[in-house]
Amino acid sequence: MEYIIYGWLGALILFLVIEIATTSLTTIWFAGGTVVALILNLCKAPFAAQAVSFFVISLALLILARPVLDKAMKKNHVKTNIDSLIGEKAKVTEKINNIDETGAVFINGLTWTARSKDSNKIIEPGEVVEIKAVSGVKLIVQ
């Protein structure tokens, strides 16, 4: 049964290599379970205890720790330039009419194609609108 330690070491290396290659925060939790199983193996615990601890610890880390770490990582998320437009105000430079597929707004020194969030509403030039979303290269405004 001494060969089982090599299986746990191999699994640990595999999980770490996959995590480094993908950075998706998926296999790191299984690496944590593998470390616990490895420690139990070194303490001469039965294989069943090692396997159960591997699954329990891995699942617990995946369910409990991942959301906390995901939230912490997204805390410092910097919006891209397109995402930063959402919620901003823009001036209509060309009448926005979804039916005629016309409309443009001016924001941050650039003219963007725009469509109204309310497909039946026509927005006249000179009005100030709020950017609600981005669809392809068009701003959806209200």
Side-chain angles (χ1 to χ4, degrees):
M1 290 299 246
E2 291 180 21
Y3 61 88
I4 293 174
I5 194 167
Y6 298 114
W8 290 123
L9 284 171
L12 178 62
I13 291 167
L14 178 67
F15 291 136
L16 291 175
V17 167
I18 292 171
E19 186 61 41
I20 290 167
T22 63
T23 65
S24 63
L25 290 179
T26 302
T27 59
I28 193 71
W29 316 115
F30 297 103
T34 305
V35 169
V36 172
L38 249 170
I39 292 169
L40 287 175
N41 182 277
L42 293 172
C43 294
K44 306 292 186 207
F47 177 73
Q50 296 171 39
V52 168
S53 69
F54 166 75
F55 287 112
V56 169
I57 297 297
S58 297
L59 191 60
L61 287 172
L62 183 64
I63 292 171
L64 301 174
R66 184 177 181 167
V68 173
L69 191 56
D70 277 345
K71 186 176 180 181
M73 290 177 67
K74 290 180 183 173
K75 184 178 182 181
N76 296 328
H77 179 271
V78 177
K79 291 183 176 181
T80 62
N81 56 355
I82 195 75
D83 291 332
S84 66
L85 293 177
I86 297 172
E88 295 292 318
K89 303 288 184 194
K91 185 174 183 178
V92 178
T93 57
E94 179 186 331
K95 179 168 49 172
I96 300 174
N97 184 333
N98 290 5
I99 295 170
D100 293 340
E101 295 184 0
T102 62
V105 296
F106 187 78
I107 184 168
N108 296 341
L110 296 171
T111 300
W112 289 77
T113 302
R115 296 294 181 262
S116 175
K117 186 174 179 184
D118 179 4
S119 59
N120 296 323
K121 183 171 179 164
I122 296 174
I123 305 171
E124 296 296 330
E127 288 189 48
V128 176
V129 292
E130 182 179 347
I131 299 167
K132 294 294 186 178
V134 179
S135 177
V137 294
K138 295 181 184 91
L139 301 179
I140 308 301
V141 300
Q142 186 174 28

